Amino acid sequence: MSEGWVRDLEAFLAAADRGERRRLDESTALVTALEEIVLGGPRRHTRAEVVELAGISDEEGKRLWRALGFPEVPDEAVFFTDRDVQAASMLGRDPAAAAIPADVREAMLRAVAQSVSRLAEWQIGMLARMLADRAGEVSAEQAVEFTAGLLPKLELLQVYIWRRHLAATMSRFVVGGIQDGPAADTAAETRTLSVGFADMVGFTRTTRRRSPAELSEMIEHFEASTTDVITECGGRLVKTVGDEVLFVTDEPAEAAWLALRLRERVRREPSLPQLRIGLAAGDVLLRFGDVYGEPVNIAARLTTHARPDTVLVDREVAHGIEGDDRFSVRRLKPLQVRGYRHLQPYLLRERGDGG
């Protein structure tokens, strides 16, 4: 590592201990030292050197870099490490990677990069809070040693979680059957699913009344609570975006039961605002972990128009749970919403529940 990083880090930690936010230039010794720890080595190569060593064209190198979500790097900048060369070489020369069509490969990289970018933001925020809380207790060397020791463990944990989810998804494909046709060529699949949105009521108003720390705690609590219920009820979490969670189930009855349990769970959490939930069922497009299609749009519209602490479902879900004595539905006045002139909602309740 270059000299001076200890001094930079000590100043950074001292500022954190005083409650100040200190910003450092990318060229500082500390930024360079931390980057070398994370990337496994120093910057050694320009972009031209990377594409030459990897055996790919300059245009292909630019497309792959953009797919990863990074801005262009000046031609003369010594920016890339040996690992960048290794990754580019694998994507350009490895027979398995070469067998993937270029558009599919780049779409896959974009999807992975978007998810990993969010994960990295959260992890660095978590690490920064941990170090800030102990700013007066740890030395610069101890902070860097802790960071360096944590990274391999995070890497192993992420690979384990990825393989577990890969195995579960593979099992669903085998059980449900992999569809042939154009969808297979775009790493996408069409399936009949029930889609649900759950949205915290009055989130914008709530953010004005809470400090950033309180808001962060509330969001983490929301994500933990909703994830627990979704997994316990056999659903699959698609994504969480701030105050909203999107999930899917294989059957309407599973979605209805999940929605009611989700509402019940949040009712018992005094720190969380009430939920409003919308459910719809039908054919959806699954692409790189996200879902698209009319049921997604309808579920979102129903969520927007649901009253606090209620669950609205579309006609497909209402018909799908007919005869299930756990539920009761009441037909409501049709909605006129963007894209749907007569969207028919139904109020879902657990049988015997008056609220």
Side-chain angles (χ1 to χ4, degrees):
M1 294 184 189
S2 56
E3 295 295 331
W5 68 266
V6 175
R7 182 176 62 254
D8 286 341
L9 184 54
E10 286 175 342
F12 188 85
L13 292 175
D17 194 31
R18 296 191 301 269
E20 300 174 2
R21 184 176 180 86
R22 185 182 179 90
R23 297 185 181 277
L24 300 176
D25 185 83
E26 283 191 7
S27 63
T28 59
L30 173 59
V31 173
T32 301
L34 293 175
E35 187 179 72
E36 288 183 12
I37 290 173
V38 174
L39 295 179
R43 301 182 182 188
R44 297 181 186 275
H45 310 287
T46 64
R47 188 181 70 235
E49 291 170 342
V50 171
V51 298
E52 181 181 359
L53 290 169
I56 61 177
S57 69
D58 185 60
E59 180 58 31
E60 184 178 13
K62 288 181 179 179
R63 289 202 314 272
L64 294 173
W65 188 247
R66 286 196 297 267
L68 291 175
F70 299 117
E72 293 288 344
V73 176
D75 292 341
E76 69 280 4
V78 179
F79 184 85
F80 300 97
T81 71
D82 291 339
R83 286 193 174 182
D84 291 308
V85 175
Q86 183 181 17
S89 179
M90 180 193 69
L91 290 169
R93 295 178 178 176
D94 185 270
I100 304 174
D103 58 336
V104 175
R105 180 176 55 186
E106 290 174 24
M108 178 183 67
L109 289 177
R110 283 195 299 272
V112 172
Q114 289 169 13
S115 298
V116 172
S117 174
R118 289 186 62 201
L119 179 63
E121 290 278 356
W122 180 85
Q123 289 173 335
I124 292 301
M126 174 195 69
L127 180 61
R129 288 198 304 270
M130 291 171 59
L131 292 177
D133 290 343
R134 302 180 60 191
E137 305 171 14
V138 297
S139 66
E141 291 90 344
Q142 288 173 325
V144 171
E145 183 180 348
F146 173 78
T147 302
L150 183 63
L151 288 177
K153 296 178 176 61
L154 281 177
E155 187 174 11
L156 288 173
L157 182 61
Q158 286 166 192
V159 171
Y160 161 74
I161 295 170
W162 169 69
R163 285 186 174 274
R164 265 295 172 188
H165 277 285
L166 196 65
T169 303
M170 190 177 299
S171 297
R172 288 197 297 270
F173 269 94
V174 172
V175 172
I178 300 177
Q179 298 184 359
D180 297 324
D185 297 331
T186 58
E189 182 198 11
T190 300
R191 293 184 62 186
T192 301
L193 296 173
S194 296
V195 179
F197 276 99
D199 174 55
M200 283 193 285
V201 176
F203 181 75
T204 301
R205 185 171 60 254
T206 301
T207 61
R208 294 198 294 264
R209 299 198 305 262
R210 304 196 182 197
S211 68
E214 291 172 334
L215 181 60
S216 175
E217 183 178 353
M218 183 185 74
I219 292 173
E220 289 180 10
H221 193 185
F222 172 69
E223 292 180 353
S225 298
T226 53
T227 300
D228 284 348
V229 174
I230 290 169
T231 53
E232 286 171 4
C233 294
R236 298 189 292 281
L237 176 65
V238 177
K239 59 185 175 183
T240 301
V241 183
D243 61 330
E244 192 171 64
V245 62
L246 171 62
F247 60 89
V248 297
T249 68
D250 292 325
E251 301 294 338
E254 293 176 339
W257 185 251
L258 193 162
L260 293 172
R261 299 283 68 77
L262 203 55
R263 185 186 68 167
E264 184 63 29
R265 173 67 174 268
V266 171
R267 278 178 171 178
R268 301 197 306 266
E269 303 286 354
S271 64
L272 294 179
Q274 292 178 316
L275 291 183
R276 51 187 174 194
I277 303 173
L279 302 177
D283 291 340
V284 299
L285 178 70
L286 279 71
R287 188 173 189 274
F288 294 114
D290 212 336
V291 291
Y292 306 87
E294 190 170 47
V296 182
N297 299 332
I298 292 175
R301 303 290 193 279
L302 291 174
T303 303
T304 300
H305 286 80
R307 291 185 177 182
D309 200 39
T310 64
V311 181
L312 293 185
V313 305
D314 75 340
R315 182 180 287 106
E316 296 299 322
V317 172
H319 289 173
I321 61 177
E322 283 180 348
D324 192 320
D325 59 10
R326 292 177 297 174
F327 311 115
S328 68
V329 294
R330 179 163 62 88
R331 182 170 174 160
L332 303 178
K333 181 180 177 181
L335 300 172
Q336 292 193 17
V337 298
R338 183 167 54 89
Y340 302 92
R341 293 186 60 187
H342 298 286
L343 178 58
Q344 181 59 62
Y346 295 79
L347 178 65
L348 172 69
R349 291 176 175 171
E350 189 169 359
R351 193 172 295 278
D353 180 10

